[in-house]
Structure formats: structure tokens, C-alpha cells
């Protein structure tokens, strides 16, 4: 139960306009997303200053895209395993053949080079 009289029962005040330029907010969203995906600050830095003619950028981005795709696969399999475990009646859950099969399909990630 939410306590009354502490601001929770009043309607939200309209949001004030952001003091930041929209481009800055977009860059912050990109940085936050990239950090969440495991990119280093240095790696994000080269991405932010790179130009389309930068051949090294294209090679690094293609490699990072492959890494992210592999991470998505691992997380999807782990997600499916957790969903199964939440409903599984096997004792103990970790010994469930379906859970073992799902987890067995999660490859060990290769070390990610910095940058």
C-alpha cells in the first residue's frame, strides 16, 4: 500500500524541458546502451569520433556486431532456461534434463578484447 499524503496521491507534475541539447541526449543513450552491451569506454570513444571512410571502424564494428549476436544467442538460451526453471517440477531443478539441455547449449563466451 502506498502511503497517502507523501506525494504519491498527487498527479505528476508536467516535466520541464531538458537543459541538454537533443544530440547530447542521443549520445548519452548510445553510450549507456553500448556500456550495457559490454563495450569499453575507449571502444565507445573511437566509435563516437569515427568517420565512414575509417576502414578500421568498419572492421571493428563488424566484429562487435558478431560478438553482440553471439551474446544475444547466449542470453536467449539462458532466458528460455530460466523460464522453464520457473515452471519446472523436477527435484532439484538443476537436474532437470530440459534445463541441462538448455544450459548445455550456452557456450562459454570467448574473451572480449578491449577496445
Amino acid at each position: 500500500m502506498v502511503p497517502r499524503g507523501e506525494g504519491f496521491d498527487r498527479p505528476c507534475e508536467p516535466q520541464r524541458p531538458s537543459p541538454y541539447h537533443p544530440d547530447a541526449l542521443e549520445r548519452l543513450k548510445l553510450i549507456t546502451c553500448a556500456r550495457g552491451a559490454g563495450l569499453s569506454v575507449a571502444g565507445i570513444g573511437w566509435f563516437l569520433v569515427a568517420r565512414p571512410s575509417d576502414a578500421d571502424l568498419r572492421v571493428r564494428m563488424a566484429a562487435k556486431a558478431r560478438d553482440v549476436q553471439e551474446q544475444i544467442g547466449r542470453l536467449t538460451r539462458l532466458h528460455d532456461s530460466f523460464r522453464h526453471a520457473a515452471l519446472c517440477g523436477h527435484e532439484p531443478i538443476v537436474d532437470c534434463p530440459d534445463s541441462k539441455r538448455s544450459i548445455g547449449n550456452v557456450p562459454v563466451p570467448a574473451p572480449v578484447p578491449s577496445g
Side-chain angles (χ1 to χ4, degrees):
M1 176 112 190
V2 176
R4 296 189 60 78
E6 295 185 23
F8 296 109
D9 57 340
R10 286 182 257 150
C12 293
E13 295 179 24
Q15 289 185 333
R16 289 175 267 170
S18 173
Y20 301 104
H21 191 277
D23 290 345
L25 294 175
E26 289 302 316
R27 280 185 177 234
L28 287 173
K29 288 177 190 177
L30 172 66
I31 291 167
T32 301
C33 180
R35 287 295 292 148
L39 271 71
S40 67
V41 173
I44 296 167
W46 64 253
F47 178 72
L48 291 175
V49 298
R51 298 290 176 244
S53 60
D54 186 345
D56 186 48
L57 165 74
R58 294 187 183 282
V59 170
R60 292 169 96 181
M61 287 180 71
K64 186 49 73 177
R66 287 189 299 274
D67 294 346
V68 169
Q69 188 62 47
E70 290 173 9
Q71 184 179 13
I72 289 169
R74 286 190 304 273
L75 291 173
T76 298
R77 290 186 295 274
L78 194 56
H79 168 266
D80 294 346
S81 178
F82 287 160
R83 299 262 328 211
H84 172 78
L87 302 172
C88 183
H90 200 278
E91 277 289 331
I93 293 172
V94 73
D95 288 340
C96 172
D98 291 330
S99 287
K100 285 182 176 182
R101 198 169 18 260
S102 293
I103 293 296
N105 288 330
V106 179
V108 177
V112 177
S114 63

